[in-house]
Each structure stands twice: as C-alpha cells, then as structure tokens.
Amino acid sequence: MTPRVPTSVLLLRLAAPLQSWGDRSSPLNRRETRPEPTKSGVVGLLAAAAGRSRYAPLDDLTDLALGIRIDQPGSILRDYHTVSDYRGQPLLSAAVTAKGSQKPTSPAKRTHITQRFYLQDAVFLAAVEGPQELITTLEHAVRHPAFPLALGRRSCAPSQPLALGQRSGSLEDVLREEPWQAARAVRRRWGRANGDAPRVRLPATLDDPAGEEVRDDVPLSFAPAGRAFTTRRTRHTYLEVPTGLTPDPHRPGNTGGHDPFALLGW
C-alpha cells in the first residue's frame, strides 16, 4: 500500500485598499473583476512568491485545492480612463503592416476609452491545501517573495499580514475555525448590532469535484503569448466562524440600548 502523503493547509489573508480578480474580460478596454479571488490569481501570487517565470510549469500549484471565505465583501470601484496621443496623432489600431508596424485607426480615432473595475476595502481568507512539503515551501516563499506580490493586478499591493501560517484539517474545517478577518471597525459595528455574538455566518467557495458550478480560471500557462486556462468545479456554502469579539456585560446587546457613537463606527 502506498503511504499517504501528509497534507497541510496554508492560510492567506487577501486584503488591500484595492483588489481586482479578472478571469476572461473582453474586450480589452473593459477589465472587470470577480467578487472574490480566482484560482488563477492565487496561483499567480504563489508562483511570483516562489520566483517562477511566466513559462514555468504550474501543475503542482494548480493541483492544490483552494477555498475562499468572504470576510468583508467590499464594494466595486470603476476607474475611467481616456487615452490620447500627446502629439495629436490618430491612435494606432491592432492591425499591422507587412513590415510589422501598427496601422493608424481608420477612420481616425483620437481618443480611446478604457474602464477598470476593482474591489475596494475587501478582505478574503484563502485556504490552499496540498502536500505538506510543498505548502511549507510556499509559506516561506510568501513570507520572503522573490517577486513583488499583488492581488490580481500589479497595482494592488496586499496589506499585512498576508500569510497566517499552516493549519491541519480539511479546507472547510480550517475556514470554519479561523477567526473573522474583517477590519476592526466592521467587526465592532457588527458586534454592536448582534450583541457580540461568538460566531458570524460567512459565505465560502470550495474546490469540489462534485460541485455544481464550473469556473474557467485554472491556469495552464502564464506565458504572455500563450496564456491558457482550464476549468474546475466548485461549491458554495456558509460557515459559522468565530468573531473574536468579547461580550461587554455593561453594554446592552440588540435590545434597543442607546449608543451615541454607533453611526461613527466606534
């Protein structure tokens, strides 16, 4: 009998002022974001931390199981741009001449509009499960990254702490028992409205071969000229998670007590 390879779960706190998790945005002048991190985004972050080139194989990383818990969903931000040639010349098109140079737009187009969408003030807990040796290597890489890390796009630098360490157990169990990672003000505001309840119900998405949803976000290659993806199956669930809040015996819970600072988030 083949001995069972020990596994471990690495927890990543994905938080930043801005995040953007695109999958297959089209056309290129409109780049949207998913409401939660994609597998290609998390695999790309791990590959960058480990110092892998865009042409390196990804099989060991894409084989890792992924779970995402939405601790703070954030809100959508639209970044609107107009692009023009400072010399007043028509913009170039995607078409090229026989010599390989870009052709000008026809009819001439002097302004190009682009839109980029981001998640602002969002917090996610990502759980990555795989062989313990690989997970240990990836944890060290995330704490000492070879390349700058980003949450979906290069401009989206992560807040700290990013790596929360390793845990034992299944993806679902680990995500269920890890304390709520939302911003302190968000947790305190929720606590005032819910009597500092010990657990909060949070949505989560887990890799599951029997899952009902199919997502086309598993990277086969990050090569600039040959980016390729395949699919995975996922399932949605809700988890009762520790809030980390300590009940205050001197403060009324959800019984109509007056709190003059509630609207300020204090």
Side-chain angles (χ1 to χ4, degrees):
M1 175 181 280
T2 304
R4 181 177 178 275
V5 177
T7 61
S8 185
V9 176
L10 174 62
L11 287 179
L12 302 174
R13 182 178 183 271
L14 305 179
L18 293 177
Q19 308 181 36
S20 189
W21 305 98
D23 44 15
R24 295 233 174 175
S25 295
S26 181
L28 292 178
N29 62 344
R30 182 183 175 90
R31 307 301 291 178
E32 297 182 352
T33 178
R34 298 277 302 184
E36 63 188 62
T38 58
K39 189 156 190 175
S40 60
V42 174
V43 167
L45 183 148
L46 295 173
R52 300 192 186 188
S53 77
R54 289 184 174 271
Y55 301 93
L58 299 170
D59 302 46
D60 58 337
L61 299 183
T62 56
D63 285 345
L64 298 172
L66 175 66
I68 300 292
R69 194 180 80 189
I70 303 177
D71 286 34
Q72 187 174 314
S75 58
I76 293 289
L77 171 70
R78 184 184 71 151
D79 192 13
Y80 176 90
H81 293 264
T82 58
V83 180
S84 302
D85 190 312
Y86 72 95
R87 297 165 296 184
Q89 298 179 1
L91 296 173
L92 299 177
S93 70
V96 296
T97 66
K99 295 184 179 180
S101 58
Q102 285 181 274
K103 296 179 180 179
T105 50
S106 180
K109 186 176 182 179
R110 300 184 182 277
T111 302
H112 184 65
I113 297 174
T114 70
Q115 299 181 74
R116 302 291 186 267
F117 292 85
Y118 298 87
L119 294 174
Q120 54 185 351
D121 298 325
V123 180
F124 304 99
L125 185 64
V128 181
E129 182 182 19
Q132 190 172 56
E133 184 176 356
L134 174 59
I135 292 296
T136 299
T137 299
L138 292 174
E139 180 187 7
H140 181 271
V142 171
R143 296 185 187 277
H144 306 87
F147 298 129
L149 304 183
L151 303 187
R153 292 196 189 130
R154 289 184 182 181
S155 60
C156 302
S159 303
Q160 295 298 323
L162 175 56
L164 300 184
Q166 297 183 49
R167 307 287 188 271
S168 59
S170 68
L171 280 180
E172 188 166 347
D173 289 343
V174 169
L175 288 175
R176 181 181 291 110
E177 295 307 320
E178 192 67 18
W180 195 13
Q181 298 296 313
R184 182 182 179 187
V186 171
R187 290 185 286 115
R188 292 179 65 181
R189 186 163 56 246
W190 183 92
R192 277 193 297 272
N194 294 274
D196 288 333
R199 288 190 174 261
V200 59
R201 194 166 184 254
L202 300 178
T205 302
L206 305 169
D207 278 358
D208 186 343
E212 296 182 352
E213 182 178 1
V214 177
R215 296 194 177 188
D216 189 16
D217 66 350
V218 181
L220 298 175
S221 172
F222 285 133
R227 292 172 62 89
F229 299 85
T230 188
T231 60
R232 63 177 172 130
R233 287 189 172 273
T234 64
R235 66 179 171 90
H236 297 287
T237 188
Y238 285 87
L239 305 174
E240 300 289 337
V241 173
T243 61
L245 299 171
T246 303
D248 184 350
H250 302 292
R251 185 177 69 208
N254 199 16
T255 58
H258 176 61
D259 184 352
F261 297 109
L263 293 178
L264 300 177
W266 294 354

